[in-house]
Amino acid sequence: MPKVPAADVAVLIPSYEPDQKLPPYVDALLEAGFGKVVVVDDGSGEAYDDIFESLSRDGDEGVQVIRYLPNRGKGYAIRQGLAYLQTDCPQYHYVLTVDSDGQHTVSDALRMAEALRMQEEDALLLGSRDFNQPHVPWKSRKGNHITSTVFRLLYGQQVPDTQTGLRGFPRTLLERFLQTSGDRYEYEMNQLIDCATDRIPMWFLPIETVYENNNEGSHFNPVRDSWRIYRVILSRFFRFIAVSLLSFLVDYAIYLLLNNLLRAYAPGLDVTIGFVPFRFIARIGLAAGLARIVSSTFNFLVNRKYVFASRMRIGASFWRYAVTVVVILGLSAWLTSSLHVWFGWSDNFIKMPVDIMLFFLSYYIQRRWVFGGHNKLPVQP
């Protein structure tokens, strides 16, 4: 195998109950030129002492073994390794995570290291497998296809291999990924979501698709861990629905109150203002506007913190949100007024389906534009 210099790349291997192939795999990574290999024993127990002790018994400074009990999960193990690299290994400019079950070849790890150096921006590089090959287990092929489709619909990015463990990134992103939540397999999905919402580019490098013994070496539980992953993917959207529903109830209650008060005590506002094809009833527009100011302020603050976990400065996201509110408000008032005038439908009733339709438009705009950015992270020393 041709040797590609990778002295400034640290390889992180989260490992739980590995087999005897791990030590020679670590040796091969070091022989290939990687500067550091960090192996995290995720609570494998005494039965695996020989394997982990063999990695460091020669005193090789190129290998660091981190051990703890009990088992905490892959995400926890990855963060332990990243924390070590952040504090004890400032000389490594790139980080590569690989699995310990034999799925990632040394040659692909070297290609990833080479590709990382060619990137001109801070980005997450993903080793992407070809799931259309005949030897790929059916559950892996279908599971990845479904997950990729759901991810694209909710986060607007196509990720061909959402479950790959072969990932690389520059040191400048190390602090960001230390903040990624999730102790088990959901960590890797949260990492993709963080990149999508923070607009951290994701690049893909085709790698060899290796499934030994129908992937029996994997500790992935198809029911329990799939539930954790899909709970992560859908949780933000469900939180958006919950916050939007609460905001809608606030908005609609205030609108009904003001609209009925203005109808009773300000009949002069029952005037239609029209610029063909736009038609507005002043009373409806005023009631809708005041109600939206209150509900939108609540919606912005909760969405920013609890739904999108935005890292943008509040001022930068607020003016984008204000523009979005004006656009949605204008569409709501125009459609409600026009449908009331054209068809004689109740203005109180028709506002509900109008706003439900505009809900999906609002989600898309907020995800992609209002909260879909990040402040550039400082370069780590």
Side-chain angles (χ1 to χ4, degrees), residues 221-240:
N221 184 293
V223 176
R224 182 190 62 227
D225 293 316
S226 292
W227 159 245
R228 288 195 179 107
I229 290 172
Y230 277 99
R231 184 179 61 188
V232 166
I233 296 177
L234 298 173
S235 63
R236 298 191 185 194
F237 182 65
F238 286 145
R239 286 199 298 268
F240 181 82

Side-chain angles (χ1 to χ4, degrees), residues 73-328:
K74 187 177 183 180
Y76 183 89
I78 290 175
R79 281 199 302 274
Q80 292 299 302
L82 295 181
Y84 168 78
L85 290 172
Q86 182 185 46
T87 58
D88 294 80
C89 302
Q91 68 271 35
Y92 300 107
H93 301 147
Y94 303 96
V95 177
L96 201 64
T97 62
V98 303
D99 291 341
S100 63
D101 57 3
Q103 286 198 37
H104 305 138
T105 65
V106 175
S107 59
D108 278 337
L110 286 171
R111 291 175 56 240
M112 290 282 289
E114 202 170 15
L116 282 172
R117 290 196 189 86
M118 297 176 62
Q119 294 180 168
E120 297 181 356
E121 57 184 342
D122 294 343
L124 176 65
L125 181 65
L126 300 169
S128 183
R129 296 164 292 182
D130 181 4
F131 286 89
N132 293 321
Q133 297 186 25
H135 70 283
V136 176
W138 180 87
K139 65 178 181 179
S140 297
R141 181 185 302 113
K142 289 300 181 182
N144 186 78
H145 176 73
I146 294 172
T147 305
S148 296
T149 301
V150 174
F151 190 89
R152 184 177 70 251
L153 291 174
L154 293 182
Y155 299 99
Q157 289 197 345
Q158 176 66 40
V159 179
D161 187 356
T162 59
Q163 298 176 27
T164 179
L166 182 56
R167 305 181 179 202
F169 52 89
R171 186 177 184 84
T172 48
L173 291 177
L174 195 153
E175 175 64 28
R176 178 65 187 94
F177 293 146
L178 268 171
Q179 299 172 11
T180 296
S181 62
D183 282 350
R184 298 191 179 275
Y185 284 99
E186 71 272 16
Y187 172 88
E188 292 174 318
M189 182 56 65
N190 270 325
Q191 187 180 59
L192 300 182
I193 294 174
D194 286 346
C195 288
T197 55
D198 282 6
R199 291 188 178 179
I200 298 173
M202 289 184 281
W203 299 100
F204 313 100
L205 181 71
I207 62 172
E208 187 176 352
T209 307
V210 179
Y211 280 96
E212 297 185 354
N213 298 323
N214 203 36
N215 206 27
E216 291 179 358
S218 173
H219 295 283
F220 183 87
N221 184 293
V223 176
R224 182 190 62 227
D225 293 316
S226 292
W227 159 245
R228 288 195 179 107
I229 290 172
Y230 277 99
R231 184 179 61 188
V232 166
I233 296 177
L234 298 173
S235 63
R236 298 191 185 194
F237 182 65
F238 286 145
R239 286 199 298 268
F240 181 82
I241 292 176
V243 173
S244 297
L245 178 59
L246 184 57
S247 300
F248 168 75
L249 293 175
V250 171
D251 180 88
Y252 195 60
I254 296 176
Y255 167 78
L256 287 178
L257 175 64
L258 293 178
N259 189 40
N260 290 326
L261 287 175
L262 291 174
R263 190 200 310 270
Y265 298 104
L269 292 177
D270 280 344
V271 57
T272 300
I273 304 171
F275 299 94
V276 178
F278 301 99
R279 299 176 64 84
F280 296 92
I281 296 177
R283 167 176 49 81
I284 294 176
L286 181 59
L290 293 175
R292 191 56 54 91
I293 289 174
V294 176
S295 63
S296 295
T297 301
F298 167 81
N299 186 268
F300 167 77
L301 294 174
V302 178
N303 275 345
R304 180 178 183 274
K305 183 173 183 179
Y306 295 106
V307 177
F308 297 101
S310 177
R311 293 164 58 82
M312 288 183 68
R313 294 184 298 272
I314 190 169
S317 56
F318 180 78
W319 77 263
R320 295 186 180 192
Y321 184 83
V323 171
T324 303
V325 168
V326 170
V327 171
I328 298 298

